[in-house]
Amino acid sequence: MDIHKDHLSKNLSQRDQKHLWHPLTQHKLSPQMLAIVKAKGAILYDDAGKEYIDGIASWYTAMYGHCNPYITEKVSRQMQELDQVVFSGFTHEPAIRLSEVLMEILPGNQEKIFFSDNGSTATEIGIKMALQYHHNLGSGRNVMLAFEEGFHGDTFGAMSVSGLSVYNGAFEEHFIKVIRIPVPNGNNNLKVLQQLENLISQYKIAGFIYEPLVQGAAAMKMHDAAGLNEILKMCRENEIICVADEVMTGFGKTGKNFASEFMEVQPDIICLSKALTAGLLPMAITSCSQKIYDAFYSDEISKGLFHGHTYSANPLACTAAIAGIELLASEDIQKNIQDVINSHRDFGNKIVTHPRVKNLRQLGVILAFDLDIKMERYGNLRNRLFTHFMDAGVFLRPLGNTIYILAPFTVNPSELNKIYESIETALELFQ
Ligand SMILES: *Cc1c(COP(=O)(O)O)cnc(C)c1O
């Protein structure tokens, strides 16, 4: 057992390097990982005691603040009652209650929810639902439609429909059939519609998967609600199943509970994860309308959706999700959301005329802009920006030259100001 004493002489970052393989990381080019030992509210604490404001809510999950006592209390109580049980053949109160509270806030046409573990599986299931819907109907449709530059996750179906294929090169020959259209930006709406019309006449399109209004991984790129609505309308008229990937946009971040509420035409299928469980536990949901469910409901077993994950509807994750939705519906959190929206608007107005601020954009609590600096000064810009923010005690994760804020709803004004100040300093430092 001597090897187990090794840890006494090494810090966490050193021990990490021995056996851990991190996500989205080229280890040969990456520095050591920073060890985080504690998180509370909007603050992360590293193993040297330094504090960082979590300006991206740990990938948009911990929207009610880290270790929120309202949520942790409920989950710890659930932990004493029922930890885990098979969800095929069994059911339980947390899953049932979650379905009830979700139905109260989801767009009105949603009727059924299907559980999985993460955002990628949520979209994978959404894609499978759309494809099998048409398979069950015998319509012969087998192509997915997606936006250019979309991101829907890292499993095969999700990778296939993602437009950011820089990292997917090794797998391209195994992808499902996908065609793409640009996002509607307000100026190109008609052109995109015409392109879609052409594609519809050429391909047997089963479903359309899209991130409504904000493409997170494409650097918080935002598009036009009226244009998206027209696309959804054309899809609906042509029996193309609309799959909204609200993994990032869901649960209040856009100022509405779901980004889909900005459009008239509601999706047939909605994918949820990230803030679903308020940053506590991994879980995802793919919801759908009665029409979708009915196409699987049959005397023939093979028409069912034969997809299932061992931890489906884990009672602890369901409990965290219920508590999160209760908070989202509370007056306090709704006020927090408005305060962050107003504060971002003021800050946006302050920096919008700065010569290095380009494409300033805001939807709800999401604020983003592109740093406009000379091309020859780009080298390693993203990493230099990241280091600048971390040194200032602010955890932001710039995407290329895009700087964005997506802090917990509960971030307080002085924390917000610290984020803003670190950005203003960056505007002067990086020219
Ligand atoms: C994060 C994300 C996913 C993937 O979710 P994971 O839990 O990381 O697998 C899918 N779609 C969108 C829009 C996302 O932001």
Side-chain angles (χ1 to χ4, degrees):
M1 294 301 270
D2 261 11
I3 50 162
H4 290 151
K5 291 212 173 116
D6 212 30
H7 71 274
L8 296 173
S9 60
K10 288 187 177 140
N11 70 27
L12 290 173
S13 293
Q14 290 164 332
R15 283 164 60 200
D16 172 277
Q17 288 179 326
K18 185 138 193 215
H19 299 298
L20 295 180
W21 190 346
H22 286 263
L24 308 173
T25 302
Q26 172 50 273
H27 279 278
K28 192 167 182 190
L29 301 177
S30 287
Q32 310 188 81
M33 300 295 146
L34 179 67
I36 298 298
V37 294
K38 184 181 152 84
K40 187 74 195 160
I43 307 290
L44 302 172
Y45 301 83
D46 75 12
D47 59 348
K50 186 169 163 67
E51 298 182 10
Y52 306 87
I53 300 166
D54 189 351
I56 64 161
S58 291
W59 269 338
Y60 349 122
T61 56
M63 296 309 294
Y64 315 99
H66 287 277
C67 298
N68 183 306
Y70 182 80
I71 305 171
T72 52
E73 195 4 80
K74 297 210 160 182
V75 172
S76 69
R77 240 184 293 149
Q78 178 62 41
M79 222 175 251
Q80 319 290 326
E81 286 299 321
L82 174 66
D83 49 358
Q84 163 68 10
V85 69
V86 171
F87 202 60
S88 296
F90 293 117
T91 193
H92 50 74
E93 163 84 18
I96 296 165
R97 184 68 196 136
L98 176 55
S99 72
E100 292 164 353
V101 298
L102 251 186
M103 286 308 151
E104 280 175 35
I105 60 167
L106 277 172
N109 68 338
Q110 300 298 298
E111 282 297 334
K112 300 286 179 183
I113 66 171
F114 191 94
F115 285 97
S116 64
D117 310 315
N118 60 73
S120 305
T121 56
T123 58
E124 196 79 20
I125 291 161
I127 294 163
K128 286 174 79 170
M129 279 181 179
L131 292 174
Q132 197 184 336
Y133 170 90
H134 281 289
H135 178 84
N136 285 357
L137 260 54
S139 69
R141 295 181 183 224
N142 58 1
V143 177
M144 288 300 294
L145 172 70
F147 276 141
E148 291 164 2
E149 299 191 272
F151 175 74
H152 301 287
D154 292 336
T155 51
F156 272 90
M159 263 196 300
S160 308
V161 292
S162 296
L164 302 163
S165 57
V166 234
Y167 305 111
N168 297 344
F171 312 107
E172 249 166 55
E173 62 180 300
H174 309 286
F175 284 179
I176 63 168
K177 297 188 190 90
V178 180
I179 50 172
R180 299 175 210 283
I181 51 172
V183 294
N185 60 23
N187 299 317
N188 67 352
N189 290 10
L190 257 178
K191 236 177 93 194
V192 175
L193 271 187
Q194 280 160 358
Q195 193 176 337
L196 175 57
E197 206 171 1
N198 281 336
L199 291 172
I200 289 173
S201 65
Q202 286 173 49
Y203 293 91
K204 295 174 174 165
I205 307 175
F208 169 47
I209 184 161
Y210 59 102
E211 292 160 275
L213 302 186
V214 191
Q215 295 178 299
M220 296 295 158
K221 210 173 151 195
M222 298 185 187
H223 56 264
D224 183 56
L228 177 56
N229 193 57
E230 290 303 311
I231 292 170
L232 297 177
K233 209 156 124 195
M234 189 173 281
C235 287
R236 180 64 43 80
E237 284 161 2
N238 287 281
E239 294 287 320
I240 296 168
I241 300 303
C242 298
V243 184
D245 178 355
E246 294 236 21
V247 169
M248 195 281 286
T249 50
F251 301 99
K253 298 181 196 102
T254 62
K256 296 186 190 279
N257 287 337
F258 299 97
S260 290
E261 292 171 43
F262 286 90
M263 275 66 67
E264 256 168 50
V265 181
Q266 291 306 319
D268 304 285
I269 293 169
I270 302 180
C271 310
L272 305 169
S273 190
K274 292 204 165 114
L276 167 67
T277 48
L280 250 77
L281 291 156
M283 188 171 75
I285 281 175
T286 309
S287 71
C288 70
S289 66
Q290 191 67 40
K291 175 177 108 173
I292 302 296
Y293 182 79
D294 286 348
F296 292 74
Y297 192 79
S298 165
D299 291 322
E300 286 174 58
I301 288 182
S302 65
K303 287 205 167 165
L305 180 61
F306 280 89
H307 186 115
H309 296 283
T310 310
Y311 277 97
S312 289
N314 171 260
L316 307 180
C318 288
T319 302
I322 297 163
I325 293 168
E326 284 168 355
L327 286 177
L328 179 64
S330 72
E331 265 176 40
D332 281 356
I333 291 293
Q334 286 301 318
K335 182 174 179 305
N336 288 337
I337 291 175
Q338 276 315 313
D339 289 348
V340 174
I341 290 174
N342 294 337
S343 173
H344 279 356
R345 189 167 301 138
D346 292 346
F347 178 63
N349 286 336
K350 186 174 172 194
I351 62 166
V352 68
T353 52
H354 193 286
R356 277 177 295 288
V357 172
K358 201 172 70 176
N359 301 329
L360 183 88
R361 50 207 185 266
Q362 181 184 0
L363 186 64
V365 304
I366 308 168
L367 183 73
F369 68 91
D370 305 334
L371 190 63
D372 192 15
I373 65 168
K374 290 203 185 74
M375 222 37 198
E376 63 265 26
R377 300 223 171 98
Y378 251 63
N380 217 12
L381 174 67
R382 187 260 163 215
N383 291 350
R384 287 187 290 136
L385 280 170
F386 178 79
T387 306
H388 158 75
F389 290 123
M390 290 300 277
D391 287 347
V394 174
F395 172 42
L396 292 179
R397 261 183 135 256
L399 293 158
N401 66 330
T402 299
I403 296 172
Y404 73 93
I405 313 174
L406 214 177
F409 300 139
T410 51
V411 66
N412 69 38
S414 82
E415 289 160 346
L416 268 182
N417 279 332
K418 201 168 161 191
I419 298 176
Y420 297 153
E421 275 165 25
S422 71
I423 290 176
E424 286 183 289
T425 318
L427 289 178
E428 299 317 314
L429 279 175
F430 296 85
Q431 312 213 356

